[in-house]
Amino acid sequence: MSASTPPSPLVLARDLRKTYVLGDTTLNALDGVSVTVERGEFVAIMGPSGSGKSTLMNVLGCLDRPTSGSYVLDGNEVSRLSRGELADVRNKTIGFVFQSFNLLARTSAVENVELPLVYAGVSRRERRERSARALERVGLGARLDHTPSQLSGGQQQRVAIARAIVNDPKIVFADEPTGNLDTKTSVEVMRLFQELWRGGLTIVFVTHEPDVALYSSRVIVVRDGKIVSDLRQDPKVAELAA
Ligand code: ADP
């Protein structure tokens, strides 16, 4: 390939379908979704409950396979990979943030953040260094040894974000990342996501809060397993309350 070949989009999904068979009815949780996400985008996925947001996130995040359709992630077709191969893709390419933080209790922040590096076979010393650096990036350099119960909800979500970026992923998927946080803390978390995005990270998150979607650079609305709207916008700057 010549140096002038433009890089492929990070996410190139075509006609994704996910069908559940329940007795003698079939349910199309994804009903022909095509979406492209370029490197450096900050995308919010919105839609009513049951519209297919989580199903779409799970397929794009390589946690689940579509029933049919094509999904090229970072230049590789991943829609037909085995579960083990998908796990490899996740470890190398993707970071995850969840609504409920999903941190190990009674385990320090630095050890929680190290976990993806344990799976990647990184040495103990390098793990500790990279984990401490990731926690510094999210503003928790002084809390390395705190356990989740010693941290506020916003701080726990920061630890989870540090864990999501410690492996230098190409893309971070976040499922309702502010769903368990109050308004002020939600803005702080969105501010952190904006910082990471401005630093070059591609981020896709699900939210049902229009106020939170304003901080993204693009809003995709899903309904009945289909994309019904997809608009780019100037992101609102997340500013901390005085
Ligand atoms: P959302 O995240 O927007 O609330 P989901 O993606 O969770 O929506 O669900 C979309 C549709 O697929 C819903 O009707 C849901 O009940 C159905 N669904 C999701 N997962 C399963 C499953 N494992 N088995 C059967 N139906 C499912």
Short mmCIF file of all heavy atoms in Angstrom, two decimals, residues 26 77 138 149 158 204 209 234:
data_model
loop_
_atom_site.label_atom_id
_atom_site.label_comp_id
_atom_site.label_asym_id
_atom_site.label_seq_id
_atom_site.Cartn_x
_atom_site.Cartn_y
_atom_site.Cartn_z
N THR A 26 -39.93 -14.14 16.33
CA THR A 26 -38.53 -13.70 16.23
C THR A 26 -38.51 -12.20 16.47
O THR A 26 -39.42 -11.47 16.11
CB THR A 26 -37.93 -13.98 14.84
OG1 THR A 26 -38.77 -13.40 13.87
CG2 THR A 26 -37.77 -15.45 14.59
N GLU A 77 -12.13 -7.93 9.27
CA GLU A 77 -13.51 -8.45 9.37
C GLU A 77 -13.60 -9.31 10.64
O GLU A 77 -12.87 -10.28 10.80
CB GLU A 77 -13.83 -9.29 8.13
CG GLU A 77 -15.18 -9.99 8.15
CD GLU A 77 -16.37 -9.03 8.22
OE1 GLU A 77 -16.50 -8.18 7.30
OE2 GLU A 77 -17.13 -9.11 9.19
N VAL A 138 -6.15 10.38 34.57
CA VAL A 138 -7.54 10.63 34.95
C VAL A 138 -7.64 11.41 36.26
O VAL A 138 -8.72 11.51 36.86
CB VAL A 138 -8.37 9.32 35.04
CG1 VAL A 138 -8.32 8.57 33.71
CG2 VAL A 138 -7.91 8.43 36.18
N SER A 149 -14.25 1.14 47.71
CA SER A 149 -15.12 1.65 48.79
C SER A 149 -14.55 2.93 49.41
O SER A 149 -15.27 3.64 50.12
CB SER A 149 -15.33 0.59 49.86
OG SER A 149 -14.10 0.29 50.48
N ARG A 158 -13.61 7.08 37.21
CA ARG A 158 -12.29 7.47 36.68
C ARG A 158 -11.32 6.29 36.67
O ARG A 158 -10.54 6.11 35.73
CB ARG A 158 -11.68 8.59 37.51
CG ARG A 158 -12.26 9.92 37.19
CD ARG A 158 -11.83 10.97 38.19
NE ARG A 158 -12.53 12.19 37.85
CZ ARG A 158 -12.03 13.11 37.01
NH1 ARG A 158 -10.82 13.00 36.54
NH2 ARG A 158 -12.75 14.15 36.69
N VAL A 204 -17.13 5.82 21.77
CA VAL A 204 -18.54 5.61 21.46
C VAL A 204 -19.24 5.28 22.76
O VAL A 204 -18.81 4.36 23.48
CB VAL A 204 -18.73 4.44 20.46
CG1 VAL A 204 -20.20 4.16 20.22
CG2 VAL A 204 -18.02 4.73 19.14
N GLU A 209 -29.58 10.20 28.24
CA GLU A 209 -29.74 11.58 28.69
C GLU A 209 -29.31 12.55 27.59
O GLU A 209 -28.12 12.64 27.25
CB GLU A 209 -28.87 11.82 29.93
CG GLU A 209 -29.31 10.98 31.11
CD GLU A 209 -28.27 11.00 32.21
OE1 GLU A 209 -28.30 11.96 33.00
OE2 GLU A 209 -27.43 10.10 32.25
N ASP A 234 -21.37 20.41 17.03
CA ASP A 234 -20.28 21.00 17.79
C ASP A 234 -20.47 20.57 19.24
O ASP A 234 -21.49 20.92 19.84
CB ASP A 234 -20.35 22.54 17.74
CG ASP A 234 -19.63 23.06 16.52
OD1 ASP A 234 -18.76 22.33 15.99
OD2 ASP A 234 -19.94 24.18 16.10
#
